[in-house]
């Protein structure tokens, strides 16, 4: 076999291998991976016209009127904030989905245990969540392990098992039947002077690929 034929076959094999790698990567990406969801779930009241409201065809624009300026679609979707609900799903169980709402942020939060306090130079922050399972399965996880807060510098802070006067924390595990709701606080210990910017929550005890995120302030 000539050297030219050998080089041609070797080049074809390399090209085929590169193509297979690219196709495999594309297939993997198409299944989805870790993502941060910041879009609030729309309520029926926000998306449907009021009952009994009259509907009419839009008035015709004058011939010489200028077209309205169009804005990018992203501009209309403000990030979810405290009080908003985000629809979350599990990575491990297909039927495990839930509507999660960040209800309240108490900063600083006082310890409810006279013998247990935040370290010197730090303080507690308590975030209240509401969880409503929307799939066929009940929610049976440890919410305190599923949340984190992030400051304006991008530093993340995990939860602590401290109890505060802000209100009751979630039990471990927390069991909520499908269609019902449960509420509880998750407590974090952060340095004094920290400006918190976001709070996050996910299913699968914090290991789901999809992460809900709420903007603070």
């Amino acid at each position: 076999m000539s050297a030219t034929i050998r080089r041609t076959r070797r080049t074809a094999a390399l090209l085929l291998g590169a193509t297979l790698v690219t196709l495999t990567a594309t297939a993997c990406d198409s299944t989805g991976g870790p993502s941060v969801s910041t879009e609030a779930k729309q309520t029926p009241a926000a998306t449907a016209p009021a009952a009994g409201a009259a509907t009419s065809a839009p008035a015709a624009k004058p011939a010489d009127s200028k077209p309205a300026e169009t804005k990018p679609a992203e501009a209309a979707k403000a990030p979810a904030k405290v009080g908003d609900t985000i629809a979350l799903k599990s990575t491990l169980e297909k039927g495990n989905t839930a509507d999660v709402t960040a209800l309240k942020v108490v900063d600083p939060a006082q310890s409810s245990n006279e013998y247990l306090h935040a370290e010197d130079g730090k303080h507690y922050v308590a975030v209240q969540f509401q969880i409503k399972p929307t799939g066929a399965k009940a929610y049976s996880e440890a919410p305190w392990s599923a949340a984190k807060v992030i400051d304006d510098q991008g530093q993340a802070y995990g939860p602590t098992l401290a109890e505060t006067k802000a209100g009751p924390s979630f039990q471990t595990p927390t069991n909520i039947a499908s269609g019902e709701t449960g509420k509880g606080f998750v407590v974090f210990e952060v340095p004094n002077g920290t400006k918190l910017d976001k709070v996050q929550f996910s299913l699968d005890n914090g290991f789901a690929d999809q992460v809900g995120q709420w903007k603070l302030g």
Side-chain angles (χ1 to χ4, degrees), residues 78-162:
K81 58 185 183 302
V82 174
D84 288 336
T85 299
I86 298 178
L88 297 179
K89 59 184 178 180
S90 165
T91 301
L92 303 178
E93 296 184 88
K94 186 176 181 180
N96 183 10
T97 59
D99 286 348
V100 179
T101 309
L103 293 175
K104 183 190 302 184
V105 178
V106 179
D107 183 6
Q110 295 183 337
S111 174
S112 59
N113 186 329
E114 62 177 319
Y115 301 106
L116 181 63
H117 299 279
E119 295 181 7
D120 290 342
K122 296 183 178 181
H123 67 277
Y124 292 137
V125 175
V127 181
Q128 186 183 38
F129 292 96
Q130 175 180 281
I131 303 171
K132 180 180 180 180
T134 56
K137 294 181 176 294
Y139 178 91
S140 182
E141 299 183 16
W144 73 267
S145 68
K148 67 178 66 173
V149 290
I150 303 172
D151 66 20
D152 58 350
Q153 302 300 311
Q155 176 64 54
Y157 302 91
T160 174
L161 291 176

Side-chain angles (χ1 to χ4, degrees), residues 5-17:
I5 294 177
R6 286 197 298 269
R7 284 196 300 271
T8 300
R9 290 186 175 179
R10 185 165 57 249
T11 301
L14 291 173
L15 289 173
L16 177 59

Side-chain angles (χ1 to χ4, degrees), residues 25 31 38 40 51 93 194 200 208 213:
T31 62
T38 61
E93 296 184 88
T194 298
Q200 295 183 340
Q213 178 173 283

